[in-house]
């Protein structure tokens, strides 16, 4: 029976990626730079969320090697690498947080996808393909969906906070019973919109939590500063390992976090759960993007890689190990059946499919790496941190 790996990888910091990097090393000034290898290799610059601990299935199915070079999940770094450092000269494929195509697609640094070049494209639902985190402002399809999910918060199960029931984001931001027992992710990209989502649910005049006006951003940060001064927040976390430790050792009883944090702690026997949120979720999408420089054999290799990411082997591993969704879940189930995966693993894929469908049904909100007023939002976040 083919076994899935159990790697748990971070989305917003570069971790020790081990075998997932295929031996690639980071080079000065930041990312690996070297002449292209022979035709049989595809070079990918991507966030580690999408990486696997081993790429044997990719090699067996495509006949290509993969060299995966990690980049921190940071829109500013994407822009720097793609524009200033011309990373498209060095890499066949980019895999970045969705939304960045609004800045790098229309400016000519990404090329539009050609549906005819991908065998698996028709297997992806129209709703997923039409995500605003994959298309430019004019609807041009720049990104292919690789991994997505809807984030909430992890918590220790109790009578007041049972597993499986809908909970409010107020448990994180305005919970007198948990003063000093709440941990936040140290980024405006999620924490500010999540607070905005809570305030919007209470009736605040907020349109899109992920694309706030300057006035809305100020309102949210005023609220966060008020709760900070009340002693609501215990700490900020900055890496996957730190978030696991903080929740796992009960330094925080509630933690704004990624789902793999909770899945890891549950495997360790900890009585923690991942929240079903009544107001909505922080929905994110990581997409594959084609550098404008890719053409001929390079372009063909990139499309081959995208097709594989849209298939069953990749999707099954991601669903079981990390609880994330991929674009073609039916193919994941078929792969598990064809390769003799056990009932527990198959059930995990099925449960993941149902969970994602339920979460995505709520309207708010898709993470936005490039909000219209990003400079104001970053300034307001700094005000919160300094308060």
């Amino acid at each position: 029976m083919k076994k899935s790996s159990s790697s748990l990888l971070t989305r917003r910091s570069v971790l020790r990626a081990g075998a997932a990097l295929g031996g690639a090393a980071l080079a000065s000034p930041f990312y690996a730079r070297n002449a292209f290898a022979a035709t049989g290799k595809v070079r990918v610059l991507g966030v580690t969320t999408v990486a696997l601990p081993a790429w044997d299935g990719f090699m067996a199915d495509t006949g290509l090697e993969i060299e995966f070079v990690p980049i921190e999940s940071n829109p500013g770094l994407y822009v720097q690498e793609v524009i200033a450092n011309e990373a498209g000269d060095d890499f066949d494929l980019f895999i970045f947080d969705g939304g960045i195509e609004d800045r790098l697609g229309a400016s000519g640094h990404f090329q539009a996808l050609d549906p005819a070049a991908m065998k698996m494209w028709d297997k992806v639902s129209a709703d997923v393909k039409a995500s605003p985190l994959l298309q430019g402002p004019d609807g041009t399809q720049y990104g292919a969906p690789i991994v997505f999910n809807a984030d909430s918060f992890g918590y220790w199960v109790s009578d007041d906070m049972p597993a499986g029931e809908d909970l409010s984001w107020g448990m994180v931001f305005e919970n007198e019973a948990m003063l000093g027992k709440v941990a936040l992710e140290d980024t405006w990209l999620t924490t500010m919109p999540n607070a905005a989502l809570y305030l919007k649910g209470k009736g605040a005049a907020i349109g899109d939590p992920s694309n706030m006006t300057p006035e809305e951003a100020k309102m949210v940060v005023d609220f966060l500063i008020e709760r900070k001064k009340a002693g609501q927040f215990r700490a900020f976390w900055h890496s996957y390992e730190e978030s696991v430790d903080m929740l796992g050792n009960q330094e925080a009883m509630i933690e704004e976090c990624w789902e793999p944090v909770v899945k890891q702690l549950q495997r360790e026997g900890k009585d923690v759960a991942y929240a079903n949120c009544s107001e909505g979720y922080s929905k994110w999408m990581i997409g594959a993007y084609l550098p404008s420089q890719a053409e001929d054999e390079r372009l063909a290799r990139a499309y081959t890689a995208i097709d594989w990411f849209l298939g069953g082997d990749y999707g099954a591993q991601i669903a079981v190990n990390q609880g994330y969704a991929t674009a073609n879940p039916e193919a994941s189930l078929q792969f598990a059946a064809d390769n003799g995966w056990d009932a527990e693993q198959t059930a995990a894929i099925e449960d993941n499919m149902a969970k994602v469908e339920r979460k995505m049904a709520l309207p708010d909100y898709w993470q936005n790496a490039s909000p219209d007023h990003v400079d104001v939002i970053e300034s307001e976040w700094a005000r919160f941190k300094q308060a």
Side-chain angles (χ1 to χ4, degrees), residues 213-227:
T213 66
E215 295 77 16
E216 291 168 348
K218 181 181 183 303
M219 178 201 311
V220 169
V221 167
D222 285 346
F223 167 73
L224 286 172
I225 289 174
E226 175 189 325
R227 297 310 302 159

Side-chain angles (χ1 to χ4, degrees), residues 71-150:
I71 183 171
E72 184 178 348
S73 181
N74 182 316
L77 286 178
Y78 306 156
V79 172
Q80 176 184 334
E81 284 298 302
V82 172
I83 296 179
N85 294 337
E86 299 182 339
D89 290 338
D90 298 289
F91 293 95
D92 301 309
L93 191 65
F94 299 134
I95 304 183
F96 295 158
D97 289 75
I100 197 62
E101 72 283 345
D102 288 355
R103 299 170 68 177
L104 297 176
S107 62
H109 294 89
F110 293 161
Q111 57 182 289
L113 291 178
D114 177 8
M118 295 171 285
K119 298 177 182 178
M120 302 298 292
W121 190 246
D122 289 341
K123 304 294 185 182
V124 179
S125 78
D127 287 343
V128 171
K129 289 186 283 195
S131 166
L133 299 186
L134 297 174
Q135 296 183 345
D138 63 353
T140 301
Q141 191 80 45
Y142 290 109
I146 302 300
V147 167
F148 59 98
N149 200 30

Side-chain angles (χ1 to χ4, degrees), residues 13-270:
S13 62
V14 177
L15 302 181
R16 296 179 297 276
L21 306 185
L26 298 183
S28 179
F30 195 67
Y31 299 108
R33 300 287 190 218
N34 57 271
F36 277 104
T39 302
K41 178 179 289 188
V42 58
R43 300 195 74 220
V44 178
L45 180 65
V47 293
T48 52
T49 307
V50 306
L52 298 177
W55 296 98
D56 296 353
F58 177 86
M59 295 173 66
D61 292 340
T62 67
L64 298 172
E65 296 180 41
I66 188 168
E67 183 179 358
F68 191 98
V69 177
I71 183 171
E72 184 178 348
S73 181
N74 182 316
L77 286 178
Y78 306 156
V79 172
Q80 176 184 334
E81 284 298 302
V82 172
I83 296 179
N85 294 337
E86 299 182 339
D89 290 338
D90 298 289
F91 293 95
D92 301 309
L93 191 65
F94 299 134
I95 304 183
F96 295 158
D97 289 75
I100 197 62
E101 72 283 345
D102 288 355
R103 299 170 68 177
L104 297 176
S107 62
H109 294 89
F110 293 161
Q111 57 182 289
L113 291 178
D114 177 8
M118 295 171 285
K119 298 177 182 178
M120 302 298 292
W121 190 246
D122 289 341
K123 304 294 185 182
V124 179
S125 78
D127 287 343
V128 171
K129 289 186 283 195
S131 166
L133 299 186
L134 297 174
Q135 296 183 345
D138 63 353
T140 301
Q141 191 80 45
Y142 290 109
I146 302 300
V147 167
F148 59 98
N149 200 30
D151 286 352
S152 60
F153 55 92
Y155 61 94
W156 281 84
V157 174
S158 66
D159 291 340
D160 293 332
M161 297 182 66
E165 293 190 10
D166 286 356
L167 299 173
S168 168
W169 278 103
M171 293 292 184
V172 174
F173 296 109
E174 201 167 23
N175 184 347
E176 296 294 329
M178 286 289 168
L179 288 176
K181 299 178 182 179
V182 176
L184 300 178
E185 183 178 6
D186 191 6
T187 174
W188 63 262
L189 184 62
T190 54
T191 298
M192 282 182 64
N194 287 341
L197 187 58
Y198 169 60
L199 293 176
K200 182 177 180 179
K202 290 181 64 179
I206 295 174
D208 182 354
S210 67
N211 196 19
M212 287 181 278
T213 66
E215 295 77 16
E216 291 168 348
K218 181 181 183 303
M219 178 201 311
V220 169
V221 167
D222 285 346
F223 167 73
L224 286 172
I225 289 174
E226 175 189 325
R227 297 310 302 159
K228 183 178 182 180
K229 290 181 176 179
Q232 186 74 65
F233 311 123
R234 165 72 175 170
F236 295 91
W237 59 266
H238 308 86
S239 71
Y240 175 81
E241 290 93 340
E242 188 177 11
S243 64
V244 170
D245 290 343
M246 198 172 293
L247 186 61
N249 64 22
Q250 297 190 342
E251 181 179 349
M253 301 299 290
I254 299 176
E255 181 179 85
E256 184 187 36
C257 66
W258 314 328
E259 190 161 3
V261 171
V262 172
K263 290 181 75 70
Q264 177 172 337
L265 292 175
Q266 288 172 338
R267 286 193 291 267
E268 295 173 3
K270 304 292 177 64

Side-chain angles (χ1 to χ4, degrees), residues 295-315:
E295 57 184 12
D296 301 328
E297 289 186 358
R298 283 186 59 198
L299 187 59
R301 293 197 297 270
Y303 274 121
T304 297
I306 292 174
D307 253 342
W308 191 83
F309 280 112
L310 298 179
D313 186 347
Y314 180 75

